[in-house]
Amino acid sequence: MSHARSEYTDFQSLTPDAFAAVRALSAIAAKAGLDKQLLELIKIRASQINGCAFCLQYHVLQAEALGLAEDKISLVAVWREAPQFSSRERAALAWTEALTVLPNGVSDEGFAQASAEFDEKELMYLTSAIAAINTWNRFGAAYRWTPPA
C-alpha cells in the first residue's frame, strides 16, 4: 500500500505546533554549545540509518556549509574504519547508533563510552539532538520526503 508524497512545507502548514516543537528540540543542542560540525555528523548518521534521503541531503549540505571536512562527510557511514574521526566524534556516532537502533536498548558499554567524552549535561543535549533528528527522519520516511533534484 502506498500513500501520496508530501512536501516538507506540508508539515509546517498542516501542523505548525508539531513542526515548531520538533524544530525547537532540534535547536537546543547547538544553543547549548555543542559543536555544530559534530551535530551535523550525528544527523547525517541517523539519517543514513533511517533511510531519510531528504534529511541526509539537507545535513550533508549543512555540514559542507560549516566547513566540515569532505572526507568525514563521505565516511560517516563507515566511521569505525576511518581514522579521520576523533574519540569524541566516535563516541557521539556510537551514541547516535545506539539511540537510533534500539532492538535491545542501550548498552552499559555504549553509555560508558559516551559518558567518557561528554559531561552529563552535554550528553543530555547530545541525546536531545539525536532524538530530534530521529523525529525528523520519521516524518521524512512516513511522508516520503524527497530531496530536490
Side-chain angles (χ1 to χ4, degrees), residues 10 13 20 25 28 37 40 49 56 58 76-78 80-83 90 97 102 104 108 127 139 143 146-147:
D10 286 347
S13 64
L25 180 60
I28 290 172
Q37 289 186 351
E40 291 306 322
I49 293 167
L56 180 57
Y58 180 84
V76 170
V78 292
R80 284 181 178 82
E81 293 79 26
R90 290 176 181 286
E97 290 180 359
L102 287 168
N104 300 310
D108 291 341
T127 300
F139 280 101
Y143 291 96
T146 55

Side-chain angles (χ1 to χ4, degrees), residues 93-132:
L93 290 164
W95 191 241
T96 299
E97 290 180 359
L99 297 179
T100 300
V101 182
L102 287 168
N104 300 310
V106 177
S107 71
D108 291 341
E109 298 81 33
F111 183 78
Q113 180 186 10
S115 296
E117 294 293 333
F118 296 90
D119 68 34
E120 192 172 20
K121 190 172 184 177
E122 287 176 327
L123 188 56
M124 190 63 76
Y125 281 120
L126 181 63
T127 300
S128 73
I130 295 165

Side-chain angles (χ1 to χ4, degrees), residues 19-101:
F19 181 87
V22 178
R23 190 172 196 170
L25 180 60
S26 298
I28 290 172
K31 286 181 182 175
L34 281 181
D35 181 74
K36 290 179 181 175
Q37 289 186 351
L38 175 81
L39 292 173
E40 291 306 322
L41 287 175
I42 63 114
K43 292 171 186 178
I44 290 168
R45 186 64 190 125
S47 298
Q48 289 171 334
I49 293 167
N50 290 321
C52 185
F54 181 92
C55 293
L56 180 57
Q57 181 189 51
Y58 180 84
H59 291 292
V60 164
L61 293 173
Q62 291 297 308
E64 289 172 348
L66 288 170
L68 191 61
E70 177 77 25
D71 59 343
K72 283 188 178 182
I73 295 170
S74 63
L75 293 171
V76 170
V78 292
W79 62 269
R80 284 181 178 82
E81 293 79 26
Q84 287 84 346
F85 298 94
S86 69
S87 61
R88 188 168 169 90
E89 290 166 335
R90 290 176 181 286
L93 290 164
W95 191 241
T96 299
E97 290 180 359
L99 297 179
T100 300
V101 182

